[in-house]
Amino acid sequence: NETAVIGKVNGFSYVDNDTLHLTLSGKDGNLYRVVVARKILNQVPNAPPPPGLINKTLQIIGVQPVEVNSRLELKVEQANQLQVL
C-alpha cells in the first residue's frame, strides 16, 4: 500500500543548477514542497519544463512526507515516483 500524494503545482523555484522545488497544493488540503533533481524531472514521461508544470496535477508515489521547517517535504529520488496526470 504505497503512499500517494496528488496535488496541483502552484509554484516552483530553482534551488541550484541541479535541483528545484515545486509547491504542490495537495488534494488532502496540505501544502507540500516537492524536491526533485532536474535530471530526474527530465526522465518523467510528459513532464514539461518547470514553468509548464504550473497548474498541472501531479501524483507523487511511494514518497513519505517529511516535516522540514513546519512544511511537508516530498523528496523525489526516482522518475517513476512522479507522474503528470
Side-chain angles (χ1 to χ4, degrees), residues 9-27:
V9 179
N10 57 19
F12 76 94
S13 61
Y14 295 104
V15 184
D16 53 37
N17 285 334
D18 304 316
T19 313
L20 56 102
H21 285 164
L22 301 171
T23 307
L24 195 69
S25 180
K27 278 196 169 162

Side-chain angles (χ1 to χ4, degrees), residues 2-70:
E2 283 196 301
T3 319
V5 173
I6 296 176
K8 191 171 266 199
V9 179
N10 57 19
F12 76 94
S13 61
Y14 295 104
V15 184
D16 53 37
N17 285 334
D18 304 316
T19 313
L20 56 102
H21 285 164
L22 301 171
T23 307
L24 195 69
S25 180
K27 278 196 169 162
D28 57 9
N30 289 319
L31 205 58
Y32 295 93
R33 177 192 286 143
V34 180
V35 182
V36 61
R38 292 170 77 168
K39 66 171 188 246
I40 289 175
L41 191 60
N42 291 341
Q43 296 167 15
V44 174
N46 18 318
L53 285 169
I54 302 288
N55 290 326
K56 290 263 194 280
T57 300
L58 300 186
Q59 177 166 268
I60 315 287
I61 306 153
V63 180
Q64 209 60 44
V66 178
E67 200 168 308
V68 180
N69 300 332
S70 73

